[in-house]
């Protein structure tokens, strides 16, 4: 789409919303792009009330449009809900339902998926939300096909982003849909932001360092981390801990919430990721040094744990990323 492009983006602002998501929408769709030499979006902010107090009272917004602005939106954006457990304003839900009925494109950022689901427009559709709220979302809205570990989901006329940073990925994806990859890449460069994170990429929830109530396991874990590149097995861990494999399995389950084999594989994948990030180019060396053995196993385990192939992980996180 070039000259003559006409598309109205309306963003709903809720009491207590995080300014970041609203800023993302404003940056992507609200700012003029004269360097692109094409018509851009018509952008409007709206709210259910004339005064909207943002997150933690950082500031109060006034002078924005009321919810009738949503009735002429081509794309209606619902940012995060400050408290997904709190029922949304019925007027907001009615505006979303009207937009859906006339075929407007609906977009949510982060916990805004709760608002779309409450309005009934996600039933039978694929969607995502922030990993922190995924279990609660699935329990509240079983009719929605939740994909809890991706950055964003494009289900045609309804699109949902997982979290604050993923809102940028979804916004650039929308620009790509409307204007093509060249324009989306130009906007991405303007933002100094990668434009190549696919929606199916994992949310990269950092694995927390587990608390170890029984500190006798800590030396075993440290000993194992220094030997990941060798032929280290669960029986080896059990021998180091001076216990049987069955007892070690029970202790891992009780203290770390996982199995010895899963922990060992996760540590090896983490080491492989660090090697790729540091610039190791040969995958056979990465597989050998991390203890994953073969390139085929490296590919399988990296995709299982991160959602990316080794080459895609290098492009995203390598030293030249």
């Amino acid at each position: 789409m070039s000259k003559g492009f006409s598309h109205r983006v309306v963003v709903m602002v809720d009491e207590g919303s995080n300014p970041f998501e609203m800023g993302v929408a404003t940056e992507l769709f609200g700012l003029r792009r004269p360097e692109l030499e094409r018509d851009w979006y018509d952008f409007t902010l709206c709210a259910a009330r004339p005064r909207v107090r943002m997150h933690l009272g950082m500031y109060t917004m006034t002078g924005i449009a009321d919810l009738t602005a949503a009735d002429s939106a081509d794309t209606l954006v619902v940012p995060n809900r400050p408290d997904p457990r709190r029922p949304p304003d019925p007027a907001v839900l009615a505006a979303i339902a009207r937009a859906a009925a006339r075929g407007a494109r609906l977009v949510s950022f982060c916990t805004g998926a709760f608002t779309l689901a409450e309005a009934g427009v996600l039933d039978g559709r694929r969607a995502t939300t922030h990993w922190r709220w995924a279990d609660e979302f699935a329990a509240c809205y079983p009719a929605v096909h939740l994909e809890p570990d991706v950055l964003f989901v494009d289900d045609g006329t309804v699109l949902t982003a997982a979290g604050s940073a993923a809102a940028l990925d979804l916004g650039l994806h929308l620009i790509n849909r409307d204007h093509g990859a060249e324009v989306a890449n130009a906007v991405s460069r303007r933002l100094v932001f990668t434009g190549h994170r696919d929606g199916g990429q994992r949310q990269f929830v950092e694995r927390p360092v587990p608390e170890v109530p029984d500190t006798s396991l800590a030396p075993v874990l440290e000993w194992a981390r220094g030997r990941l590149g060798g032929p280290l097995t669960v029986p080896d861990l059990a021998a180091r801990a001076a216990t049987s494999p069955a007892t070690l399995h029970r202790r891992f389950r009780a203290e770390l919430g996982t199995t010895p084999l899963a922990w060992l594989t996760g540590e090896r994948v983490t080491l492989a990721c660090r090697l790729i990030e540091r610039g190791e180019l040969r995958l056979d060396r990465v597989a050998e040094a991390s203890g994953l053995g073969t390139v085929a196993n490296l590919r399988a385990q990296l995709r299982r744990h991160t959602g990316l192939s080794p080459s895609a992980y290098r492009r995203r996180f390598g030293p030249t990323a």
Side-chain angles (χ1 to χ4, degrees):
M1 299 181 185
S2 55
K3 292 292 185 179
F5 173 73
S6 178
H7 191 104
R8 190 179 190 197
V9 175
V10 177
V11 178
M12 288 180 164
V13 184
D14 197 4
E15 187 77 14
S17 288
N18 188 336
F20 183 84
E21 283 87 349
M22 184 188 69
V24 167
T26 303
E27 174 73 33
L28 291 175
F29 308 117
L31 300 188
R32 300 299 93 192
R33 303 289 179 188
E35 71 277 11
L36 298 178
E37 299 182 349
R38 64 179 58 220
D39 295 328
W40 205 237
Y41 300 90
D42 179 15
F43 183 81
T44 304
L45 295 173
C46 74
R49 297 174 183 82
R51 294 174 61 86
V52 181
R53 186 172 180 267
M54 300 301 287
H55 182 61
L56 297 178
M58 293 177 181
Y59 56 87
T60 298
M61 295 188 64
T62 61
I64 59 179
D66 60 30
L67 290 179
T68 59
D71 292 333
S72 58
D74 298 300
T75 294
L76 182 62
V77 181
V78 181
N80 75 308
R81 284 262 298 284
D83 182 2
R85 301 184 185 95
R86 177 183 173 186
D89 191 319
V92 169
L93 298 181
I96 294 172
R98 291 195 302 272
R102 60 181 177 78
R105 186 165 63 186
L106 304 177
V107 177
S108 72
F109 294 159
C110 196
T111 52
F114 280 78
T115 305
L116 293 185
E118 194 67 24
V121 300
L122 290 183
D123 288 355
R125 288 183 173 272
R126 297 163 47 244
T128 193
T129 191
H130 194 284
W131 59 265
R132 180 183 176 188
W133 296 98
D135 289 344
E136 187 157 345
F137 184 96
C140 291
Y141 307 106
V144 181
H145 303 306
L146 182 68
E147 298 185 11
D149 60 350
V150 298
L151 291 177
F152 64 83
V153 170
D154 181 343
D155 197 49
T157 57
V158 181
L159 302 93
T160 50
S164 297
L168 275 167
D169 297 293
L170 177 52
L172 288 168
H173 173 74
L174 288 170
I175 292 173
N176 189 357
R177 274 183 44 171
D178 294 340
H179 296 278
E182 184 176 355
V183 171
N185 287 334
V187 174
S188 176
R189 288 194 300 271
R190 178 73 176 267
L191 298 175
V192 196
F193 182 78
T194 175
H196 303 287
R197 295 210 303 176
D198 295 326
Q201 183 171 313
R202 301 284 177 84
Q203 292 184 32
F204 288 106
V205 181
E206 192 68 29
R207 291 191 300 137
V209 178
E211 297 181 5
V212 186
D214 182 356
T215 57
S216 64
L217 264 184
V220 176
L221 303 183
E222 191 61 30
W223 173 84
R225 289 190 181 103
R227 292 162 174 78
L228 294 174
L232 192 61
T233 65
V234 173
D236 293 333
L237 295 178
R240 182 69 181 183
T243 188
S244 68
T247 299
L248 184 72
H249 190 281
R250 287 194 297 270
R251 288 176 59 188
F252 262 76
R253 276 293 188 190
E255 299 172 16
L256 303 182
T258 188
T259 66
L261 181 59
W263 178 86
L264 191 57
T265 302
E267 291 296 316
R268 283 172 163 157
V269 171
T270 298
L271 176 56
C273 290
R274 298 298 87 83
L275 293 171
I276 294 172
E277 291 167 12
R278 293 168 191 162
E280 178 56 66
L281 298 178
R282 289 188 54 177
L283 295 185
D284 57 341
R285 290 180 179 175
V286 174
E288 180 181 359
S290 63
L292 292 173
T294 65
V295 173
N297 191 40
L298 169 65
R299 293 183 190 278
Q301 295 297 341
L302 197 67
R303 185 172 292 279
R304 177 186 173 194
H305 284 77
T306 71
L308 297 174
S309 66
S311 58
Y313 191 92
R314 180 183 291 114
R315 287 195 300 270
R316 180 70 183 91
F317 296 106
T320 61

